[in-house]
C-alpha cells in the first residue's frame, strides 16, 4: 500500500524559504514519476513541480527559478525547496506519485496522471 506523508510546512514571511519533505512507503520513488501539487482556498488545484525516475524535472511557470524539486532515493524521500516565497504561494501542498510510470506525462500538471496523493502540509506566506 502506497503511503505519502508530507512535512515541513509552516508560516513564513515573504522572501523566506521552506523545504517540504515527502516520506514514501509501499513503493520506490526512484522508479516512478513524483511531484507536488498545491491548492489555495477558493482556487483550483495546481501542479507545482514533477520529477521523473531519471531526474528530469518540470515546474509551473510561477515557481520557476524559486522552487526546486529533488529526491533522496536512498531514503525514499521527495523534497520541494521553496525560496523567495510570495503570499501567492500560500496553499496546502500535496505530494503525489505515479506508481505505474517512470516518466512524467507532458500533462502531469492536470493531476489525473498521479495515482497516489498525500494528506498535505500547509504553507502560509505573509506579506
Amino acid at each position: 500500500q502506497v503511503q505519502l506523508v508530507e512535512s515541513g510546512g509552516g508560516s513564513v514571511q515573504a522572501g523566506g524559504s521552506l523545504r517540504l519533505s515527502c516520506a514514501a512507503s509501499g513503493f520506490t520513488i526512484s522508479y516512478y514519476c513524483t511531484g507536488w501539487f498545491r491548492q489555495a482556498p477558493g482556487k483550483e488545484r495546481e501542479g507545482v513541480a514533477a520529477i521523473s525516475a531519471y531526474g528530469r524535472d518540470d515546474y509551473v511557470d510561477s515557481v520557476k527559478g524559486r522552487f526546486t524539486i529533488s529526491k533522496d532515493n536512498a531514503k525514499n524521500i521527495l523534497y520541494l525547496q521553496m525560496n523567495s516565497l510570495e503570499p501567492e504561494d500560500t496553499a496546502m501542498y500535496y505530494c503525489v506519485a505515479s506508481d505505474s510510470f517512470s516518466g512524467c506525462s507532458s500533462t502531469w500538471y492536470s493531476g489525473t496522471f498521479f495515482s497516489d496523493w498525500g494528506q498535505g502540509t500547509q504553507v502560509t506566506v505573509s506579506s
Side-chain angles (χ1 to χ4, degrees):
Q1 181 181 355
V2 176
Q3 242 190 337
L4 302 170
V5 179
E6 303 95 335
S7 61
S11 297
V12 296
Q13 289 193 324
S17 299
L18 283 173
R19 188 177 78 158
L20 305 184
S21 299
C22 172
S25 59
F27 86 115
T28 305
I29 65 170
S30 62
Y31 294 167
Y32 301 105
C33 174
T34 51
W36 293 92
F37 275 68
R38 66 186 179 186
Q39 187 165 23
K43 293 189 177 181
E44 290 189 358
R45 183 179 65 188
E46 176 182 48
V48 176
I51 186 167
S52 74
Y54 323 111
R56 181 176 178 178
D57 55 6
D58 194 19
Y59 302 88
V60 67
D61 285 346
S62 61
V63 308
K64 284 180 180 177
R66 300 189 298 122
F67 290 11
T68 303
I69 188 171
S70 63
K71 53 185 178 176
D72 185 327
N73 291 334
K75 295 181 178 178
N76 215 31
I77 297 177
L78 180 70
Y79 299 103
L80 184 68
Q81 178 67 44
M82 305 185 295
N83 299 329
S84 301
L85 282 162
E86 303 169 353
E88 292 73 24
D89 296 318
T90 295
M92 185 72 78
Y93 283 71
Y94 299 92
C95 175
V96 298
S98 164
D99 58 9
S100 301
F101 299 99
S102 56
C104 298
S105 164
S106 59
T107 59
W108 64 266
Y109 48 84
S110 73
T112 57
F113 176 73
F114 296 101
S115 51
D116 301 286
W117 294 67
Q119 294 299 306
T121 186
Q122 178 67 38
V123 172
T124 302
V125 184
S126 57
S127 57

